[in-house]
Amino acid sequence: MKIGPPPYWLQVVLRFVYPPLAVLVTVAALPLIALGVLLWPLDRRMRLARVVFLAVYFMWEDVSILVQCMWLRVRSPVDRGEDWIAHHEQLVAHALENFFRTAQRVVSFHVVADGEIDLGDPTRPAVVLSRHAGPADSLALAWIIAAKARRVPRVVLAAGLLWDPGLALVLRRLRAYFVPSRSGAGDDRTKGVADLARGLAPRDALLIFPEGRNWTMHRQQAGVEALRAEGEHERAEQAARWRWVLPPRQRGVQAILEARPDADVVVVAHTGLELFDSPGDIWRGIPFGPTEGLVVRTTTYPAGDVPRDPDEVATWLDERWTEVDAWVESHRRPGLRGS
């Protein structure tokens, strides 16, 4: 069940409650970290110490973003110019770099590129369409966009993330779009994505997950059944042949392409995290082995090669997802489904 966003007044309260709460959580976490180290004879991987330390570290990176955002408001109560935006972009890029560098040291998480990371013509904005599978894949892709491609990530996110005070504040100021719940949303979901696309600058990369939710085996099967129930039997048969992706939703992609016909389109395939869909899976996988981690491939399509007609977009998107599915099948780790 999806978590809805908190009301705005509660978001404001959370900004002031969060830092002292982080202090209390840290004090409570220190004995757990020490216990995890002492349990080394029973757990040579020291999972407890690693997981708790990384969670606390992430929390303080988030608190740091929140505090710096508040300071920027005090320092520039009126100015909302280019410098204001640039400072917030630097906050996000710096936090992502710190978190993934720390994750590499603590749990051996690493990202491997299958070929060159190419996000299109740097003089034009890019639209990044990615498979959605595994914990923190959206953060990892935002880090790749910022650190590897030297672009500014603009992200379409679930509204439930507005419960995170630091992320919510900085991403709101950077014009991220938080997708509202389906109930009562009407066409606002598509309109908000289109508005975000219209505001893209040349260095921006708009990251969207057309599947709408993380892949799991159950959701893949449910997606096929949903297409059959809607009478889309031909597409359901095609989706049934996919093993590693969910049927992509066209409307958001169509709205973006109509809003920015000048943008290059990048399709991202990745594998390595898809079966970490429960706390137990993550626990057993930590730390990652030398052959594990996130493997990423990007394929760039120049703006002129991407269709804009709705029917053609739907066909084009399904073709790209067929390619993503085949790539994941050929690059998945040993031991995944079907091995």
Side-chain angles (χ1 to χ4, degrees):
M1 184 176 64
K2 290 188 177 181
I3 301 174
Y8 184 73
W9 67 265
L10 183 54
Q11 293 179 41
V12 175
V13 171
L14 288 173
R15 293 171 192 171
F16 295 94
V17 171
Y18 194 30
L21 179 62
V23 174
L24 295 177
V25 171
T26 303
V27 171
L30 290 177
L32 290 177
I33 296 173
L35 177 62
V37 174
L38 293 174
L39 288 176
W40 176 80
L42 299 177
D43 180 10
R44 296 299 179 94
R45 294 189 173 193
M46 294 196 297
R47 293 181 180 93
L48 180 62
R50 293 175 191 270
V51 170
V52 175
F53 177 85
L54 193 61
V56 171
Y57 181 86
F58 179 82
M59 179 181 63
W60 279 106
E61 279 290 344
D62 197 36
V63 171
S64 175
I65 289 175
L66 176 65
V67 172
Q68 292 181 76
C69 281
M70 290 179 169
W71 170 242
L72 285 172
R73 170 61 67 88
V74 171
R75 195 178 69 177
S76 303
V78 178
D79 182 23
R80 298 294 184 270
E82 293 182 4
D83 287 345
W84 166 269
I85 297 297
H87 285 313
H88 289 82
E89 291 171 352
Q90 291 167 9
L91 282 182
V92 172
H94 185 67
L96 287 170
E97 183 66 27
N98 285 347
F99 178 70
F100 281 100
R101 184 169 59 243
T102 303
Q104 183 174 12
R105 292 172 179 170
V106 176
V107 297
S108 300
F109 179 83
H110 54 278
V111 176
V112 179
D114 178 28
E116 182 183 0
I117 298 294
D118 176 19
L119 264 66
D121 187 340
T123 66
R124 296 199 298 261
V127 175
V128 182
L129 311 178
S130 177
R131 176 197 188 212
H132 202 4
D137 67 335
S138 53
L139 280 178
L141 293 174
W143 172 70
I144 290 171
I145 290 170
K148 303 297 183 183
R150 302 299 178 187
R151 282 185 177 265
V152 179
R154 306 294 183 196
V155 192
V156 177
L157 298 164
L161 287 175
L162 290 170
W163 284 95
D164 183 316
L167 282 178
L169 184 56
V170 71
L171 292 179
R172 272 190 181 281
R173 292 183 183 179
L174 290 176
R175 307 188 308 276
Y177 178 61
F178 293 89
V179 182
S181 62
R182 286 187 176 276
S183 58
D187 292 331
D188 287 345
R189 294 162 63 93
T190 302
K191 181 180 182 299
V193 171
D195 290 343
L196 177 59
R198 291 188 190 95
L200 294 177
R203 289 181 55 240
D204 292 346
L206 173 55
L207 173 61
I208 186 172
F209 300 92
E211 294 158 310
R213 51 185 179 170
N214 262 298
W215 173 93
T216 66
M217 286 183 277
H218 171 73
R219 287 174 177 170
Q220 195 273 336
Q221 295 162 3
V224 174
E225 294 303 320
L227 288 173
R228 287 174 178 155
E230 294 168 3
E232 298 188 45
H233 299 291
E234 183 176 345
R235 192 159 184 246
E237 291 305 312
Q238 180 183 48
R241 293 190 290 270
W242 295 335
R243 304 178 69 195
W244 303 103
V245 296
L246 303 178
R249 301 169 181 175
Q250 171 202 350
R251 290 186 61 206
V253 176
Q254 174 66 34
I256 291 170
L257 295 181
E258 288 181 353
R260 292 309 298 259
D262 59 323
D264 292 337
V265 178
V266 182
V267 176
V268 177
H270 66 78
T271 183
L273 298 179
E274 52 265 18
L275 291 192
F276 292 101
D277 59 358
S278 73
D281 293 331
I282 298 171
W283 180 267
R284 287 186 291 272
I286 290 175
F288 293 93
T291 62
E292 299 172 339
L294 188 68
V295 184
V296 179
R297 184 199 69 169
T298 63
T299 305
T300 300
Y301 300 87
D305 295 344
V306 181
R308 262 60 184 181
D309 177 82
D311 291 336
E312 293 180 0
V313 168
T315 300
W316 182 88
L317 192 57
D318 281 349
E319 290 173 351
R320 303 291 76 78
W321 246 238
T322 297
E323 294 167 357
V324 169
D325 182 74
W327 180 89
V328 174
E329 174 68 21
S330 64
H331 287 76
R332 74 193 192 283
R333 292 198 336 259
L336 295 187
R337 179 169 66 125
S339 297

